[in-house]
Amino acid sequence: MSRNARINTLLLLAVAALAVLPLVLGLGDHKEEPFTGADGEAEAAITELEPDYEPWFTPLYEPPSGEVESALFSLQAALGAGVLAYYFGLRRGRRQGEERAAARRDGDITPDDPAPDPSGARSRGEGTDTAATAP
Amino acid sequence: MHIAEGYLPPLHAVAWGAASAPFVVHGVRALNREVRSNPESTLLLGASGAFTFVLSALKIPSVTGSCSHPTGTGLGAILFRPPIMAVLGTITLLFQALLLAHGGLTTLGANVFSMAVVGPWAGYGVYRLLRRFDVPLMVSVFFGAFVADLSTYCVTSVQLALAFPDPGSGIPGALAKFGGIFAVTQLPLAVSEGLLTVLVMRLLSRSSKGELTRLGVLVTGAKKEASAR
């Protein structure tokens, strides 16, 4: 694994550890319902501070169940992740295309090369080489 | 950090709406200008918005035994400046208010103010300050995203404390209470958001070098020399 990929993996592992540690250490054990949303806790605190307060507006649409709500949350995450993946995929493809075009200009591959396989593999090899040494 | 629908008194709801509106209007103009003058940046704009979409949908367990979510606004603020992030953040909040009953229309102004205005500006400010003192790019990005996340939750605590002062100890007492719920929970999550933002910025600095240079995030060797002279 290149140094760059190692650092990226470590970053992801650190984020995962930060999320899992509170569960493993049982930091919610002192609560009746551990690991509920902080937004809900704030609502409870409001009711504590002002027992008479009544919300004066209700949501136009409310997911009929917890399952539907989590489905919509997943949809939100999936939409975002999809766009991000599309972006990075497109960039990667474009960069590889440019590298290949540059290699062709340098005379590595002629446009009407009958057997582009070996040189194609070489230019791809160069691509990963530069990727590995990039800071 | 979402204040639930109907949970701000009407006067507060209107006041926060009025405070947020100019930032969003200004942001829409900035966004239009950016898209018109640099059509190629549309893709990266979409990716910045997508990052906020993902992060604000992730509810992560925290040290206080409750769950909360990052905001993802630091990245877009650093790349495209805070006005444009005000628009992207508002779109995310609208989606959640309309489809998830998470946040709300009456509290949209307050939520926009904390997540799409103060967060991006605070994060961007810290990022620029650190860059001015020649702090390495990725360290500056980490603290920019960290501050954008944490300041959002601090503002939410202030908003609720102003609306619901403690009968005994007043606004400071209520602030301690809401801060205990939001800000303390958010500390490790702000670290997570900082790390994730650094990760995406690392990926971008390899895949989109030209774009980041044009946006002034990456400085080329020649430019660096010119600014040193």
Side-chain angles (χ1 to χ4, degrees):
Chain A
M1 207 194 283
S2 72
R3 183 171 171 269
N4 187 54
R6 224 170 22 236
I7 293 175
N8 288 349
T9 312
L10 277 178
L11 283 170
L12 278 175
L13 282 177
V15 171
L18 275 170
V20 174
L21 273 179
L23 296 173
V24 175
L25 298 177
L27 293 174
D29 289 353
H30 61 286
K31 293 192 173 173
E32 253 173 62
E33 276 188 89
F35 297 111
T36 52
D39 294 1
E41 287 192 0
E43 280 169 47
I46 291 172
T47 320
E48 226 170 88
L49 287 169
E50 255 192 64
D52 302 332
Y53 187 82
E54 283 289 327
W56 56 280
F57 200 84
T58 47
L60 300 178
Y61 168 77
E62 212 158 349
S65 72
E67 279 72 18
V68 176
E69 190 184 348
S70 55
L72 288 167
F73 263 109
S74 321
L75 177 71
Q76 185 189 337
L79 278 175
V83 172
L84 275 174
Y86 173 78
Y87 178 84
F88 283 112
L90 189 77
R91 283 283 167 181
R92 192 189 166 90
R94 240 182 232 174
R95 202 179 49 188
Q96 284 175 344
E98 276 163 16
E99 273 165 17
R100 229 165 272 164
R104 204 169 291 158
R105 261 201 310 278
D106 294 347
D108 262 8
I109 312 167
T110 48
D112 47 351
D113 195 337
D117 272 12
S119 38
R122 196 185 333 141
S123 78
R124 227 169 315 174
E126 278 165 18
T128 45
D129 259 353
T130 48
T133 50
Chain B
M1 117 291 148
H2 295 81
I3 302 178
E5 185 76 282
Y7 269 92
L8 273 185
L11 191 66
H12 286 255
V14 171
W16 289 115
S20 300
F23 288 96
V24 178
V25 171
H26 175 227
V28 169
R29 278 200 205 133
L31 184 66
N32 278 335
R33 213 178 308 131
E34 176 71 26
V35 171
R36 209 170 303 142
S37 58
N38 298 298
E40 72 273 28
S41 69
T42 318
L43 260 182
L44 189 54
L45 270 170
S48 310
F51 187 66
T52 303
F53 244 65
V54 179
L55 261 63
S56 60
L58 295 179
K59 294 192 194 167
I60 303 174
S62 181
V63 286
T64 50
S66 62
C67 281
S68 193
H69 60 83
T71 61
T73 56
L75 179 74
I78 290 170
L79 290 175
F80 290 104
R81 301 185 26 90
I84 285 180
M85 202 57 235
V87 184
L88 300 179
T90 305
I91 293 171
T92 309
L93 286 166
L94 256 177
F95 179 92
Q96 294 189 314
L98 291 175
L99 284 179
L100 297 164
H102 204 63
L105 294 178
T106 60
T107 51
L108 186 66
N111 289 332
V112 165
F113 196 80
S114 63
M115 187 179 126
V117 176
V118 175
W121 273 110
Y124 181 72
V126 166
Y127 162 78
R128 285 302 296 265
L129 193 72
L130 291 177
R131 288 303 280 157
R132 179 158 297 176
F133 288 106
D134 282 329
V135 175
L137 175 66
M138 290 307 166
V139 178
S140 311
V141 166
F142 173 84
F143 282 105
F146 175 86
V147 169
D149 183 309
L150 197 59
S151 59
T152 297
Y153 280 80
C154 292
V155 171
T156 305
S157 306
V158 170
Q159 288 169 332
L160 286 176
L162 289 174
F164 302 99
D166 190 278
S169 50
I171 291 174
L175 185 58
K177 192 164 198 164
F178 290 118
I181 293 171
F182 281 130
V184 179
T185 306
Q186 203 60 25
L187 269 171
L189 299 191
V191 173
S192 294
E193 170 157 3
L195 295 176
L196 284 173
T197 308
V198 166
L199 175 66
V200 171
M201 196 63 100
R202 284 171 58 82
L203 297 174
L204 284 176
S205 65
R206 293 188 59 198
S207 75
S208 321
K209 211 171 245 170
E211 194 69 9
L212 293 199
T213 309
R214 189 184 64 73
L215 291 167
V217 176
L218 287 181
V219 184
T220 60
K223 252 192 203 162
K224 214 182 252 169
E225 263 172 45
S227 65
R229 240 177 273 139

